Amino acid sequence: MDPTDILKQVAREVATCEKCELHFSRKNAVPGEGPVNAEMVFIGEGPGFHENEQGRPFVGAAGKFLEELLAKIGLSRQQVYITNVVKCRPPGNRDPKPEEVEVCTNAYLERQLQAINPKVIITLGRHSMGLYLANAKISDVHGQALRVKGRLIVPMYHPAAALHQASLKPVLENDFARLPELIARAAEAPEQSEPIHNEPKEPPTQLSLF
Ligand code: URA
Ligand code: SF4
């Protein structure tokens, strides 16, 4: 199937999905949005209040900060793909349960990533980081480019965390500032067909590519 059609098909399925219990309390499922040829995919945790109201990702306070971070590296949100680990709002903004993450990512996020095939995946917060780096500490690995499961991952703090803890704001800004160079260097790095680490055993800092 054409990648554009895959994204459309995923969005259609997400809109009426009942594969996990999050569908009971959602108002609007939030599949994600952005161009199919985006170089970067940002993965948050799950829709919050405003996202659930509007059916669009990162439209609340965290989204505004994400847009500011993108603007500082010369990008608008229209140029990147933005989505979440789970597509329906966990009630009361609770953490998504492991079984919800499992069923939702297998059904949808994996297909979105295959269709877009981005140069880099930026995980925002520990839930999306956990898809690739189960045992990593975000304070150790944030801002590093890591090759995991055949993909280039850059874990970052969640923008909402910086709204609660001001000291994280410059950390996120610094990590974003490195993204253009990481992408340029990734283009030069040899392709690796084999996943290097599904469950990294060594300290995550040794996984750093650059
Ligand atoms: N936080 C997230 O993780 N995702 C959103 O879409 C909005 C806020
Ligand atoms: Fe379906 Fe994902 Fe929503 Fe669960 S969170 S109902 S799996 S779209």
Side-chain angles (χ1 to χ4, degrees):
M1 214 196 293
D2 176 69
T4 303
D5 293 335
I6 295 174
L7 288 187
K8 283 186 190 160
Q9 176 66 22
V10 167
R12 263 195 301 274
E13 291 174 33
V14 162
T16 56
C17 178
E18 298 184 354
K19 286 184 193 285
C20 85
E21 65 181 62
L22 292 179
H23 85 272
F24 289 116
S25 50
R26 74 163 177 241
K27 182 166 178 183
N28 291 296
V30 182
E33 63 188 30
V36 71
N37 59 356
E39 291 188 337
M40 304 182 202
V41 171
F42 290 83
I43 309 175
E45 174 179 338
F49 175 82
H50 295 284
E51 292 76 24
N52 182 53
E53 292 296 314
Q54 297 182 36
R56 296 183 56 211
F58 282 94
V59 290
K64 189 161 174 290
F65 184 41
L66 176 60
E67 285 175 26
E68 287 171 24
L69 289 163
L70 286 169
K72 285 199 170 141
I73 56 169
L75 291 173
S76 69
R77 67 178 283 148
Q78 286 79 22
Q79 291 173 284
V80 301
Y81 198 86
I82 304 175
T83 190
N84 285 299
V85 173
V86 292
K87 312 306 195 198
C88 301
R89 183 191 186 206
N93 295 345
R94 68 156 168 78
D95 286 353
K97 297 177 186 174
E99 58 268 31
E100 294 161 353
V101 170
E102 167 109 16
V103 70
C104 197
T105 55
N106 285 338
Y108 305 120
L109 181 63
E110 289 301 331
R111 286 159 68 202
Q112 292 174 314
L113 293 174
Q114 269 173 27
I116 299 165
N117 196 20
K119 287 193 175 154
V120 58
I121 295 171
I122 298 97
T123 59
L124 300 172
R126 62 195 167 84
H127 288 280
S128 49
M129 180 179 74
L131 301 175
Y132 298 97
L133 300 160
N135 303 313
K137 277 175 65 185
I138 201 159
S139 54
D140 289 337
V141 298
H142 71 87
Q144 295 184 19
L146 310 165
R147 184 84 60 180
V148 189
K149 298 184 188 175
R151 294 210 176 269
L152 191 65
I153 310 297
V154 181
M156 294 203 193
Y157 284 101
H158 197 291
L163 298 179
H164 296 117
Q165 195 180 331
S167 62
L168 291 179
K169 229 174 158 175
V171 175
L172 261 167
E173 286 168 358
N174 281 335
D175 289 351
F176 265 70
R178 291 187 65 223
L179 274 177
E181 194 204 331
L182 289 182
I183 287 175
R185 292 177 76 163
E188 295 162 13
E191 274 301 312
Q192 316 212 17
S193 52
E194 286 295 304
I196 298 178
H197 299 284
N198 287 332
E199 268 308 281
K201 298 281 189 294
E202 52 270 70
T205 43
Q206 290 179 16
L207 291 173
S208 183
L209 273 184
F210 309 123

